[in-house]
Amino acid sequence: MAFDLIIRGGTLATAADVYKADIAIRNGQIVQIGMDLGEAKRVIDASGKYVLPGGIDSHVHIAQPSGDGIQMADDFASGTLSALFGGNTMVLPFCLPAKGQSLRAALQDYHNLAEGACYTDVSFHVIIPDTTDQILGQEIPALVADGYTSFKVFMTYEGLRLNDAQILATMDAAQGAGALVMVHCENEDVIRFLADRAERNGDLVPAAHARTRPVSAEREATHRAMALADVADVPVVIVHVSNREAMEEISRARARGSRVVGETCPQYLVLTADDLEAMDWSGAKFVCSPPPRTTADQEACWEGIRTGVFDLVSSDHCPFVYDDPKGKLNPKGRTSFRHVPNGIPGVETRLPILFSEGVSKGRIDLCRFVALTATNQAKTYGLYPRKGTIAIGSDADLTVWDPEAERIIRHADLHDGSDYSPYEGFAVTGWPVTVVLRGKVMVEDGQLCGTQGAGAYVSRGLPKIG
Ligand code: DUC
Ligand code: ZN
Ligand code: ZN
């Protein structure tokens, strides 16, 4: 029987190997890998290109309510379309429950928003907003049993942060259920002290955002989060790590045997705090937490990528429109950094930036690129080996990658709902040209050919960590 699709003539890369072979696909799965595989209803010529597992971006924010009249720039249609054009076949957004709302009801809201809208597969992490007996004793175990196996806690943001006792209780509940906990590590009291002082001094510009969220606040919280995780004996992901000192905390914890996964993001590899300095308030375009740091920290993060301190490079796509009353330049945001919404777009540019700065410039090899962007993402979040690799029986989620393509990143060419890219004008070598989602050709030679709603919700297994 003919196959549904053959991808022919490409160089395949997994986290372990790079070799020339064709891939045959039937019913959405990879069924053969080899040469001379025979006939198919459709053939994609990948000669001169790499064929990679579709990118999995485990850290994105889509349609998340922000309060204060602020609106996130992406819904599930635009967010996943942007992800798809960036070479991704799956994203994991966060579900943020409203105050007092049950986790289950919040998840239902996100399912309703995502249903029929997505261009990539999706699955959700759940943010823990409170530690009621209901959440810890009933909801967390029940949700893990239903395939929601990762929870995020915040150590910063008034109204969202949990104190140490609450974090420990959450970790304990997650541990009991076999789930993992993602932690946003910044010391809220340090930040509030510095932000209050900056405000008293009239230092209200976007650059003050970076000055009031120093490395020491991130380093201390990273250490504390991992100490709490040791007590609870739960695996943790330290998300969006920005600097050497926090990275060294992770290295030390791992050397002691703690089950810690480190994640960094492109903004910490190619942006610095200087990007927030523009005098015309456009520094707001780079306001995210933790903030981008120094060129020395960029080098440290590359070192962490090479040496394995970081297992994940995710985008932390958290898009707001810049020039809009509901975005970065909201009425209060025009007057103080404290009201500029935190987050930057990047789901479409994550893979090109990491490939270009990493693989094309010789900092990492192609297998490491695949591991950081797909395989480790799948293993960490309970998706492997269904996703994150090229293997017989895996979902046919594949990206055909042109390693020679030279592009200048322009927001006008991207597909997210924001009105700018923090990487505007950045030159990259390497770009995804064709993207296949469970055997469906979604993008071919840079043109959309798949349909909205082709992306589906994916229930997950338990994490596989250390
Ligand atoms: N944390 C995130 O993970 N993303 C955006 C903002 C934030 O604080
Ligand atoms: Zn965060
Ligand atoms: Zn985030």
Side-chain angles (χ1 to χ4, degrees):
M1 189 177 40
F3 299 109
D4 296 334
L5 175 66
I6 286 180
I7 301 181
R8 188 170 285 161
T11 299
L12 276 52
T14 67
D17 298 300
V18 179
Y19 59 101
K20 274 190 169 294
D22 302 342
I23 300 175
I25 294 159
R26 189 181 292 132
N27 296 331
Q29 290 190 335
I30 296 169
V31 290
Q32 281 196 37
I33 301 170
M35 303 308 253
D36 305 321
L37 297 180
E39 300 297 311
K41 293 177 199 151
R42 185 166 177 181
V43 173
I44 289 177
D45 177 15
S47 353
K49 312 277 195 311
Y50 291 138
V51 183
L52 311 176
I56 300 173
D57 193 339
S58 64
H59 190 151
V60 305
H61 303 260
I62 295 177
Q64 199 178 294
S66 305
D68 233 9
I70 307 299
Q71 199 178 316
M72 204 156 258
D74 274 321
D75 57 17
F76 279 89
S78 62
T80 57
L81 184 66
S82 184
L84 181 76
F85 272 97
N88 301 283
T89 49
M90 182 157 189
V91 295
L92 283 82
F94 292 89
C95 161
L96 173 63
K99 264 266 162 288
Q101 188 183 29
S102 75
L103 307 186
R104 183 73 76 173
L107 276 164
Q108 191 54 54
D109 289 347
Y110 280 79
H111 276 284
N112 293 344
L113 292 171
E115 176 89 41
C118 295
Y119 289 90
T120 66
D121 284 352
V122 294
S123 193
F124 302 108
H125 312 291
V126 184
I127 293 171
I128 300 298
D130 202 351
T131 50
T132 60
D133 290 348
Q134 176 71 14
I135 287 177
L136 298 179
Q138 317 287 323
E139 290 217 81
I140 288 179
L143 290 177
V144 174
D146 287 348
Y148 304 93
T149 54
S150 48
F151 300 92
K152 183 176 180 189
V153 297
F154 283 83
M155 300 173 93
T156 184
Y157 300 129
E158 208 43 66
L160 191 56
R161 71 180 286 204
L162 301 183
N163 64 33
D164 290 357
Q166 292 176 305
I167 292 171
L168 199 44
T170 302
M171 289 176 167
D172 185 53
Q175 193 277 342
L180 67 74
V181 179
M182 308 162 78
V183 193
H184 179 129
C185 299
E186 288 184 291
N187 181 315
E188 172 68 11
D189 292 326
V190 169
I191 293 164
R192 183 130 32 91
F193 169 81
L194 293 173
D196 286 349
R197 189 170 72 183
E199 200 164 54
R200 282 197 304 278
N201 292 340
D203 183 17
L204 299 175
V205 294
H209 171 81
R211 289 192 279 275
T212 56
R213 304 186 88 97
V215 162
S216 45
E218 186 182 341
R219 184 230 307 136
E220 183 279 330
T222 302
H223 179 90
R224 186 158 36 102
M226 294 186 299
L228 296 173
D230 282 348
V231 173
D233 192 22
V234 74
V236 282
V237 180
I238 306 298
V239 294
H240 47 48
V241 176
S242 69
N243 68 86
R244 178 177 291 282
E245 293 182 23
M247 203 181 95
E248 286 172 350
E249 293 293 341
I250 295 172
S251 278
R252 277 195 284 273
R254 289 173 71 132
R256 285 191 298 265
S258 301
R259 287 181 293 160
V260 179
V261 172
E263 175 201 75
T264 191
C265 314
Q267 50 271 40
Y268 307 119
L269 301 173
V270 301
L271 302 178
T272 69
D274 289 348
D275 289 306
L276 280 77
E277 291 284 351
M279 296 313 289
D280 61 356
W281 219 262
S282 61
K285 291 180 177 176
F286 304 90
V287 165
C288 60
S289 294
R293 307 288 186 185
T294 62
T295 51
D297 286 309
Q298 291 177 349
E299 279 317 306
C301 288
W302 280 113
E303 188 184 308
I305 283 176
R306 274 195 307 275
T307 58
V309 176
F310 296 122
D311 285 319
L312 307 173
V313 177
S314 314
S315 68
D316 197 2
H317 177 78
C318 186
F320 298 95
V321 176
Y322 172 64
D323 192 5
D324 191 282
K326 290 186 183 144
K328 296 275 189 185
L329 295 188
N330 67 84
K332 288 183 183 167
R334 285 175 177 274
T335 63
S336 167
F337 70 93
R338 288 184 112 160
H339 299 288
V340 173
N342 257 272
I344 59 176
V347 72
E348 195 165 343
T349 47
R350 172 186 73 132
L351 296 177
I353 289 173
L354 186 67
F355 185 91
S356 184
E357 292 293 306
V359 181
S360 302
K361 292 196 176 171
R363 289 177 165 119
I364 55 173
D365 67 18
L366 189 58
C367 293
R368 185 86 187 117
F369 174 80
V370 170
L372 291 160
T373 57
T375 314
N376 295 348
Q377 306 258 353
K379 287 181 175 171
T380 302
Y381 293 108
L383 291 161
Y384 188 84
R386 174 173 172 193
K387 295 190 180 288
T389 192
I390 299 176
I392 291 170
S394 294
D395 282 359
D397 292 346
L398 299 161
T399 293
V400 180
W401 191 275
D402 182 350
E404 311 292 341
E406 297 194 347
R407 299 283 181 90
I408 306 290
I409 293 175
R410 303 268 178 230
H411 186 262
D413 300 327
L414 303 178
H415 301 80
D416 62 78
S418 185
D419 59 350
Y420 77 98
S421 167
Y423 309 106
E424 187 76 21
F426 196 88
V428 291
T429 303
W431 200 265
V433 287
T434 293
V435 185
V436 175
L437 172 66
R438 281 179 283 102
K440 295 189 199 83
V441 184
M442 296 294 290
V443 173
E444 187 165 19
D445 292 329
Q447 299 301 312
L448 182 66
C449 48
T451 51
Q452 188 177 3
Y457 168 73
V458 180
S459 172
R460 291 180 285 125
L462 298 180
K464 290 194 182 67
I465 294 170

